[in-house]
Amino acid sequence: MQNVLQILNISISKALSALYEIQNIELSFQKTKPDFEGDITLVTFNLTKLTKVSPDATATAIGEYLKTHETLIEKYNVVKGFLNISFKNEFWLNYFCSVKDNLNIGFKTTNSSGKTIMLEYSSPNTNKPLHLGHVRNNLLGYSVAKILSANGHKVVKANLVNDRGIHICKSMLAWKLNGNGETPQSSGIKGDHLVGKYYVEFDKLYKSEIIKLVNEGKTKEEAEKLAPIILEAQQMLLKWEKGDAEVIELWKTMNGWVYDGFKQTYANLGVEFDKMYYESNTYLLGKEIVADGLNKKVFYKKENGSVAIDLSNEGLDEKIVLRSDGTSVYITQDIGTAIERFKEFPELNQLIYTVGNEQDYHFKVLFKILDKLGYAWAKECYHLSYGMVELPEGKMKSREGTVVDADDLLTEMYNTAAKTTAELGKVDDFSEGELNELYKTISLGALKYFILKVDPKKKMLFNPAESIDFNGNTGPFIQYTHARIKSVIRKVENFKEFDKSKIEINLIEKEIIKTIYDFESVVTEAGNLYNPAIISNYVYELTKLYNRFYHEHNIIREENETVKNYRLALSKTCATVIANAMNLLGINVPERM
RNA sequence: GGUCCCAUAGCUCAACUGGAUAGAGCAACGGUUUUCUAAACCGUAGGUCGCAGGUUCGAGUCCUGCUGGGACUACCA
């Protein structure tokens, strides 16, 4: 199967050469707008300087040349300098027949690119449960990993767990003070939520101590530094770093609770990882690199003994990479882990960090430092930056209790899916297990699609009422279309080949075939841009087209056997593409719903 | 103060990276089911693409300025 653009590039280059003696010029194509007749459009304005004739005349001349010289082209029309080109139906039909039985449409063979990419996502803290912001991160990371795999890359999904630090000590301390030995088992509270509860508890205690100190005449800033409970948390962190047995024991216990909780949430979200990293193992990395960088004069020592790099020539500021007491800061660790990963995976071509856009600056600095340290792969580090998730009432603030909890959200979506499905009553014969599966599929489909259809770079508004809507541009609408196609196909026992020489493609069928044709390049584009929203928009377009086709034309009711079998094949192929596209978003599609 | 990001229909988002008359969904109104799943389909209405300049054959898209919103700017993570 020849590529449409390749064919046209070659033919039109020949035309330009023959007609105007023009060589090597970049051609500008676009899909023909629906209001005009044609499959693909050549924009001729940029050619007129060389052709020396008007856009319309240029377009007409090229069109005429194509019609007589390129056998695959049926006809053309010219509108205001746009050359709309139509390929023969035979061409589209041949294309369709070449893919109709391929269950992997749009997917390149695994590892065919020879490229290995590590994609880090999720990266939670172990002091509180996952919330809506993490959900976007997880869904985005997982989907991009799928998309990159579909582009033939080998992808290592990595998760760097922030399992240490002052914030973890806060939960630990509050539990020690007020926990009375409470455990997930004794309380029936999911582990990550239990630990989160004590993180909030710490904040309460801390605040009341601050108020007390302020009442005693201290300034707010002083009080924040002097509150006994914060001092104790800092002591606890020091003990942790020294390996104090009791502190380590408590740390392991409470982190264990959190991991049990996360495991459930990850399973419910349907995300997974190939490689787990823990900051308790990596937080010391990078110090030797700093020493090395000092020798290379990439870094310099300041008067107070801290080590820094000056990035003011790059439009950035001075950045401390080691404190004056010799301890590392966050970026020290990031430098170390990046280098470590390229050592661990020598075949690694690219390292992608899925992290919110509030850290744009951090990653600019990080990549610049790696570059200055002389690592050639620094250019292959990429920050997959995404916008914040906001609620109709504004930003999520844990202190004000406006955070949308991931587990609560999933439960709520599940219940809505169950309610709606029961009301429609189409699967009343399902067993309890089948219903449970279906509700999970639909609720997750709704949530994932709702989040992934927005360009990752942009901040998004999460309106709970809209997220559980199952009509219109939603995951369940697309899932429904898939189920509907499958329902039609189930009704036919003898699925027969059709004689393509007897098929006349109608307009909507041609639109569908052209859209199926686009899938491959859409997957490529989504991969190049790390953008699942491109897949979402695409699959929605295809689904809308199919539904229109379904309403306008008979499939199994069609009397002409050849046409019937052709339409069945077209339907089946749509179902495959819908399923494949949704798969790239991490969304399953049901056989019935 | 400095750096960066965002602004498109009442609301939520698109616009193939500079191309034709800026498109969908939701919400509103009207229509479609004895016929393959109505979680669907069709129609009506809704726009000074934040504002003002500039670049060019052509700008929602690029450049400048302004307004409004946000993020970052730690020897925090």
Side-chain angles (χ1 to χ4, degrees):
Chain A
M1 184 65 200
Q2 280 178 291
N3 179 298
V4 167
L5 285 180
Q6 281 171 1
I7 295 168
L8 287 179
N9 261 314
I10 292 168
S11 296
I12 295 175
S13 295
K14 276 187 203 161
L16 287 170
S17 171
L19 297 167
Y20 303 107
E21 295 179 1
I22 297 170
Q23 317 288 341
N24 298 327
I25 184 159
E26 181 105 0
L27 298 171
S28 164
F29 293 105
Q30 58 180 304
K31 263 160 84 178
T32 306
K33 301 268 180 207
D35 313 352
F36 302 94
E37 193 186 5
D39 300 328
I40 195 147
T41 296
L42 177 75
V43 184
T44 60
F45 299 101
N46 58 332
L47 303 174
T48 53
K49 271 182 200 140
L50 296 165
T51 62
K52 304 278 198 309
V53 291
S54 73
D56 275 10
T58 307
T60 306
I62 296 170
E64 204 50 45
Y65 182 96
L66 289 178
K67 204 173 140 187
T68 48
H69 290 79
E70 177 52 69
T71 53
L72 296 171
I73 286 166
E74 168 89 53
K75 55 187 170 183
Y76 73 94
N77 65 79
V78 175
V79 182
K80 291 194 284 184
F82 293 89
L83 172 62
N84 301 321
I85 302 160
S86 298
F87 279 71
K88 286 180 179 161
N89 277 351
E90 181 195 338
F91 171 87
W92 293 114
L93 208 49
N94 280 337
Y95 164 73
F96 172 61
C97 289
S98 75
V99 296
K100 71 182 175 59
D101 297 315
N102 177 6
L103 293 176
N104 295 314
I105 306 176
F107 295 178
K108 297 210 172 64
T109 319
T110 317
N111 301 348
S112 59
S113 75
K115 203 171 157 186
T116 301
I117 299 173
M118 179 178 283
L119 186 147
E120 179 189 306
Y121 73 103
S122 198
S123 307
N125 293 337
T126 56
N127 62 336
K128 50 184 181 239
L130 304 179
H131 61 67
L132 189 50
H134 299 114
V135 171
R136 189 177 198 190
N137 182 306
N138 279 278
L139 299 183
L140 178 62
Y142 185 71
S143 175
V144 170
K146 285 249 180 190
I147 292 167
L148 293 174
S149 295
N151 276 288
H153 309 312
K154 184 178 178 212
V155 180
V156 181
K157 297 191 287 292
N159 189 356
L160 173 59
V161 184
N162 187 329
D163 63 342
R164 66 163 287 280
I166 189 72
H167 48 294
I168 313 294
C169 291
K170 288 177 180 176
S171 312
M172 285 160 62
L173 181 57
W175 182 85
K176 221 175 126 183
L177 293 172
N178 285 2
N180 296 315
E182 189 175 29
T183 68
Q185 291 73 32
S186 75
S187 62
I189 300 175
K190 193 163 163 274
D192 48 339
H193 289 260
L194 184 67
V195 172
K197 178 180 150 187
Y198 285 100
Y199 187 71
V200 173
E201 180 73 19
F202 175 92
D203 205 51
K204 264 192 230 159
L205 294 170
Y206 184 34
K207 274 197 179 122
S208 66
E209 286 185 2
I210 290 171
I211 290 168
K212 200 174 148 215
L213 288 169
V214 168
N215 288 340
E216 286 168 9
K218 299 272 192 286
T219 68
K220 200 175 168 233
E221 290 71 32
E222 286 170 335
E224 281 170 359
K225 281 180 190 160
L226 292 170
I229 197 165
I230 193 75
L231 295 176
E232 203 176 339
Q234 282 159 1
Q235 281 306 310
M236 198 178 226
L237 181 59
L238 284 178
K239 280 188 183 170
W240 181 91
E241 291 190 1
K242 282 182 191 141
D244 179 278
E246 195 190 328
V247 171
I248 295 285
E249 182 61 33
L250 177 60
W251 172 74
K252 280 187 179 164
T253 303
M254 289 182 74
N255 269 351
W257 296 344
V258 173
Y259 295 143
D260 288 343
F262 282 176
K263 202 176 156 189
Q264 270 186 48
T265 308
Y266 284 145
N268 288 337
L269 274 175
V271 301
E272 64 207 3
F273 304 95
D274 305 308
K275 182 84 196 166
M276 298 296 292
Y277 292 96
Y278 299 91
E279 287 198 7
S280 52
N281 295 328
T282 62
Y283 80 107
L284 293 174
L285 288 174
K287 284 183 160 193
E288 324 80 65
I289 306 296
V290 170
D292 186 43
L294 266 173
N295 287 336
K296 288 184 189 160
K297 305 240 187 287
V298 174
F299 303 132
Y300 52 85
K301 203 162 222 161
K302 307 214 325 173
E303 287 158 14
N304 60 15
S306 61
V307 179
I309 182 167
D310 180 15
L311 297 169
S312 50
N313 286 338
E314 327 285 339
L316 305 166
D317 292 323
E318 177 185 78
K319 179 74 190 173
I320 298 286
V321 294
L322 212 58
R323 295 192 186 105
S324 50
D325 63 4
T327 56
S328 5
V329 290
Y330 197 74
I331 203 159
T332 323
Q333 176 195 175
D334 272 350
I335 295 167
T337 41
I339 293 166
E340 197 67 17
R341 286 173 182 181
F342 276 90
K343 274 187 198 156
E344 185 185 358
F345 295 91
E347 75 277 25
L348 207 60
N349 301 98
Q350 195 180 22
L351 178 54
I352 300 173
Y353 298 84
T354 313
V355 179
N357 66 8
E358 69 273 12
Q359 294 201 36
D360 284 355
Y361 182 79
H362 173 80
F363 283 102
K364 266 186 203 167
V365 171
L366 174 64
F367 300 157
K368 187 47 81 180
I369 290 176
L370 289 167
D371 181 45
K372 294 219 167 203
L373 285 169
Y375 295 98
W377 47 257
K379 286 187 283 299
E380 306 303 331
C381 291
Y382 181 75
H383 175 204
L384 174 50
S385 168
Y386 62 91
M388 302 183 80
V389 183
E390 291 175 9
L391 299 172
E393 54 273 19
K395 266 178 240 164
M396 288 193 287
K397 285 180 182 154
S398 43
R399 287 176 204 156
E400 290 164 28
T402 54
V403 172
V404 176
D405 177 75
D407 295 322
D408 292 349
L409 181 62
L410 289 170
T411 306
E412 196 189 331
M413 304 282 293
Y414 180 96
N415 291 337
T416 308
K419 186 163 164 272
T420 308
T421 305
E423 277 168 6
L424 291 170
K426 293 178 183 179
V427 288
D428 292 341
D429 58 317
F430 270 29
S431 72
E432 204 169 308
E434 287 171 325
L435 284 175
N436 178 44
E437 269 311 301
L438 181 61
Y439 298 160
K440 270 162 76 174
T441 299
I442 296 172
S443 56
L444 272 178
L447 177 64
K448 292 185 176 186
Y449 188 85
F450 187 80
I451 288 177
L452 292 175
K453 75 177 173 183
V454 182
D455 186 332
K457 289 195 293 285
K458 298 191 176 174
K459 69 166 189 235
M460 69 167 292
L461 188 102
F462 188 87
N463 185 330
E466 281 175 23
S467 71
I468 53 174
D469 194 346
F470 295 166
N471 301 318
N473 187 2
T474 66
F477 164 62
I478 294 160
Q479 290 172 319
Y480 167 78
T481 305
H482 178 267
R484 189 187 224 184
I485 296 172
K486 286 308 182 88
S487 167
V488 171
I489 289 172
R490 267 195 304 274
K491 291 199 159 57
V492 182
E493 293 136 29
N494 44 351
F495 211 97
K496 288 188 199 123
E497 282 297 319
F498 58 90
D499 178 356
K500 66 181 175 186
S501 69
K502 291 183 180 157
I503 295 293
E504 288 294 322
I505 306 181
N506 67 37
L507 264 181
I508 179 94
E509 288 163 356
K510 189 170 162 187
E511 283 306 308
I512 290 174
I513 293 172
K514 274 154 61 176
T515 304
I516 292 170
Y517 176 85
D518 288 336
F519 186 47
E520 198 180 317
S521 63
V522 164
V523 173
T524 305
E525 195 195 352
N528 289 340
L529 300 175
Y530 313 100
N531 185 354
I534 292 171
I535 304 284
S536 313
N537 293 335
Y538 168 82
V539 71
Y540 177 58
E541 279 307 316
L542 177 62
T543 303
K544 268 199 304 186
L545 270 179
Y546 183 82
N547 276 310
R548 218 172 82 212
F549 164 71
Y550 179 93
H551 276 269
E552 286 173 12
H553 299 284
N554 290 331
I555 303 166
I556 53 182
R557 285 193 306 246
E558 170 62 43
E559 288 170 7
N560 181 320
E561 274 297 308
T562 308
V563 173
K564 174 178 160 183
N565 286 316
Y566 153 67
R567 288 192 179 149
L568 275 167
L570 188 62
S571 299
K572 195 183 114 196
T573 310
C574 279
T576 303
V577 175
I578 288 171
N580 288 1
M582 292 294 261
N583 177 270
L584 295 179
L585 302 175
I587 300 174
N588 294 325
V589 286
E591 295 295 307
R592 288 178 58 193
M593 70 183 272

